[in-house]
Amino acid sequence: MSAPLNVVVLNGSPSFPSKTAALGQEIVTRLAAHVPVAASTVNVAELVPFFGDTYGDPRSPVAAALETIAAADLLIAASPIYKGSYTGLFKHVVDLLSPSALLGKPVLLVATGGSERHTLALEHQFRPLFGFFQADTLPVTIYGHDSEFTDYQVTGEGLDSRIDKAIARALPFLSADAREATLLPVI
Ligand SMILES: Cc1cc2nc3c(=O)[nH]c(=O)nc-3n(C[C@H](O)[C@H](O)[C@H](O)COP(=O)(O)O)c2cc1C
């Protein structure tokens, strides 16, 4: 039997509670209905006190978070939309990753926003960012807007079905065979 899929949610929200965190958790729960999953979350808000002069310190929570992200079989890269893009804190953590940390890694792009207007930020802002890392961004992204959450839980039917569609399209990229293939050296 293959090892469970190591799923890491990177939540770029500076707030707690967080709709983005709730959406990330919901995606993990639904994914676990299809494949065995071992999940963890990196909340950028928790790293804020450790930004500064600790980047090089291997004992820093920032270093541990970067290692967690680099070890993921699937990265759920999730951020609230701020001013039409990911948050500054989300970008700051991504900035600290080694350029090779996400090479060939499946990345599911996820955002929450106050309105539907910024859905395409996932294509125009998030996808190129992960293109820099030569990550394998998955074909269908997930965007949830404020009216699709109640008390920090996913309640919108539209969002509900968009999550299922994105997972269905992601699954072929997450099989044991696909994971083996991503380990092959690039020639
Ligand atoms: C500083 C700030 C800027 C924001 N900018 C946008 C924006 O440009 N477009 C949008 O749709 N929502 C915007 N929002 C709303 C958030 O993206 C939305 O409420 C999100 O779901 C919050 O996620 P969280 O609960 O995980 O923090 C903004 C919110 C804040 C606080």
Side-chain angles (χ1 to χ4, degrees):
M1 217 173 90
S2 54
L5 191 74
N6 179 14
V7 180
V8 176
V9 180
L10 170 59
N11 169 26
S13 174
S15 307
F16 184 84
S18 154
K19 288 183 278 290
T20 313
L23 180 53
Q25 186 51 56
E26 183 66 27
I27 295 165
V28 168
T29 302
R30 304 251 192 121
L31 192 59
H34 298 275
V35 286
V37 160
S40 50
T41 299
V42 171
N43 291 304
V44 298
E46 291 167 10
L47 299 178
V48 171
F50 306 101
F51 290 143
D53 58 359
T54 59
Y55 301 146
D57 183 347
R59 294 160 303 174
S60 155
V62 177
L66 299 177
E67 273 177 34
T68 298
I69 292 168
D73 295 319
L74 167 66
L75 177 65
I76 298 179
S79 177
I81 299 292
Y82 276 15
K83 302 293 183 285
S85 188
Y86 34 72
T87 64
L89 285 178
F90 176 91
K91 176 67 160 58
H92 190 53
V93 171
V94 172
D95 282 345
L96 298 175
L97 288 166
S98 152
S100 61
L102 305 180
L103 186 76
K105 193 184 295 302
V107 177
L108 178 59
L109 304 175
V110 174
T112 65
S115 79
E116 294 174 42
R117 287 189 197 131
H118 284 132
T119 308
L120 281 173
L122 284 161
E123 299 300 334
H124 297 302
Q125 306 286 333
F126 289 57
R127 204 181 287 282
L129 175 61
F130 290 93
F132 169 86
F133 289 93
Q134 298 180 42
D136 287 351
T137 52
L138 293 168
V140 179
T141 62
I142 302 174
Y143 184 95
H145 50 90
D146 282 357
S147 65
E148 296 180 300
F149 294 83
T150 309
D151 296 333
Y152 296 91
Q153 298 294 321
V154 173
T155 48
E157 280 178 26
L159 178 53
D160 220 40
S161 64
R162 293 198 301 280
I163 296 170
D164 288 338
K165 182 179 172 192
I167 288 177
R169 291 293 307 276
L171 285 172
F173 297 90
L174 305 176
S175 67
D177 285 351
R179 280 150 73 188
E180 286 292 317
T182 61
L183 298 177
L184 294 176
V186 180
I187 14 178

